Each structure stands twice: as C-alpha cells, then as structure tokens.
C-alpha cells in the first residue's frame, strides 16, 4: 500500500489577498461587538452599585428618621468610587423618598397609635451613569440616554424599602446627653 502525497496546489492569482479583504470587512464588526459587550458588563456592575447605594440610603434614612441629607451623603459615599466625586454643580445622582407609610396602609397615613417600627421607608436612587466607551455610547444613544455635554449617560435607578427604626434620642435639644436608664 503506497501513500500518495500530492503537492499543494498553487493559489489562483485572482484569489490572492482574499484573507486580507475578509479581515478588513469583519474586524470593525468584531470590534463593535466587543465594545458593546464591555459596556454591558460595566453597566451591570454600575447597576449593582446603584442597588447598594439605594440600600445604604434606605438604611441611613431608617436610622435617621428619613433625613434626606443624611441619605444623600450615604449614597454619595457608596457612589464615590464610581463617580470620582460626591457633590458637584451638576446632579450626578439623586435620592428621593418615595413614601414613608405605615405597614399595610396604602394611603401613607399612619395611625396615630402606630409605632415608628410600623412605618416603611421607600427610597429611590437615580444615578446618571456616564458611558465609558465612546463608540458604545454613540450606539446606545437612541432616545434612552440623557444628553450630556461631556459624554452620554444612562439613568440607572434602584428602589429599596426598609422599616423605620424606633426613635432613640440620647440627648436633649441643648445637646446634653441623657444618662441611660
């Protein structure tokens, strides 16, 4: 049994450079796909951070009896690694108290005898997430995104509900601490 090896056929001169043409045609599509996938991964990470900022704002509001300034500071501390700044002239993020209602009371008017622990605090945090990759930002900028001078941003929103903590004020109005009983 003899093995017959045929020499490789020479390429047809009309087909030379075909690989280069195919690479030039497919490379932009591949780069756009990779860029959009990276931006999607960054968006998923940003949504998790916004969820945690909403939880932190709700927890702070539950302890501080719904103080929006304290909740904004708490959410800003969570978003600081992502934004690079907490407060600027432009509103990077917004903390809203959606409702502070009694549990089981859809009207939002708690009973006169309701304890503070019966109230639920619902907080919404909205962050205008700036898209990091410019090509993906232009592709996604079709009516969903907010217009920005520097780069397009996507509003990410998270809502969290927690019960209010009971009021414990260990000091009086003059700032003197009371002795624990």
């Amino acid at each position: 049994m003899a093995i017959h090896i045929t020499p490789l056929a020479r390429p047809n001169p009309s087909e030379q450079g075909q690989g280069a043409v195919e690479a030039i045609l497919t490379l932009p599509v591949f780069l756009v796909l990779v860029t959009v996938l990276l931006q999607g991964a960054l968006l998923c990470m940003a949504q998790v951070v916004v969820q945690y900022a909403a939880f932190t704002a709700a927890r702070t509001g539950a302890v501080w009896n719904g103080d929006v300034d304290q909740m904004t500071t708490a959410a800003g501390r969570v978003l600081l690694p992502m934004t690079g700044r907490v407060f600027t002239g432009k509103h990077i993020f917004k903390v809203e108290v959606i409702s502070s209602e009694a549990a089981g009371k859809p009207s939002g008017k708690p009973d006169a005898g309701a304890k503070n622990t019966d109230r639920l605090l619902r907080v919404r945090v909205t962050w205008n997430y700036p898209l990091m990759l410019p090509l993906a930002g232009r592709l996604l900028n079709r009516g969903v995104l907010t217009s920005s001078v520097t780069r397009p941003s996507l509003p990410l929103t998270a809502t969290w509900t927690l019960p209010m903590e009971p009021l414990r004020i260990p000091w009086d109005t003059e700032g003197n601490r009371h002795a624990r009983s």
Side-chain angles (χ1 to χ4, degrees):
M1 182 148 99
I3 297 177
H4 181 62
I5 299 176
T6 59
L8 293 174
R10 290 187 174 194
N12 188 351
S14 65
E15 294 180 4
Q16 288 180 347
Q18 180 180 355
V21 170
E22 289 174 358
I24 289 173
L25 291 176
T26 59
L27 188 62
V29 174
F30 178 73
L31 289 177
V32 167
L33 180 66
V34 168
T35 305
V36 169
L37 286 174
L38 285 174
Q39 186 64 63
L42 290 172
L43 276 171
C44 289
M45 183 181 68
Q47 183 62 40
V48 169
V49 171
V50 169
Q51 286 283 338
Y52 185 64
F55 165 73
T56 305
R59 180 69 185 132
T60 303
V63 172
W64 285 90
N65 201 25
D67 186 4
V68 178
D69 292 333
Q70 293 289 336
M71 291 189 291
T72 303
T73 302
R77 287 181 180 151
V78 171
L79 293 173
L80 179 62
M82 299 292 285
T83 61
R85 55 193 178 272
V86 178
F87 300 106
T88 62
K90 297 179 182 177
H91 289 52
I92 296 173
F93 67 94
K94 180 172 64 172
V95 176
E96 305 174 87
V97 176
I98 297 173
S99 66
S100 177
E101 60 189 34
K105 300 281 184 187
S107 65
K109 297 178 183 177
D111 295 335
K115 298 178 184 173
N116 204 29
T117 55
D118 294 338
R119 292 189 326 169
L120 296 176
L121 177 67
R122 183 172 302 219
V123 176
R124 178 187 302 140
V125 174
T126 304
W127 175 32
N128 290 327
Y129 172 71
L131 297 173
M132 302 297 174
L133 303 174
L135 180 62
R138 288 190 189 121
L139 290 174
L140 294 173
N141 193 8
R142 298 287 179 236
V144 176
L145 306 178
T146 60
S147 60
S148 174
V149 176
T150 56
R151 58 182 153 183
S153 61
L154 182 68
L156 300 177
T157 303
T159 305
W160 206 275
T161 304
L162 282 177
M164 298 286 281
E165 292 288 324
L167 290 175
R168 285 176 249 169
I169 302 175
W171 56 87
D172 59 14
T173 56
E174 287 83 32
N176 301 322
R177 290 187 62 83
H178 295 294
R180 291 190 173 184
S181 51

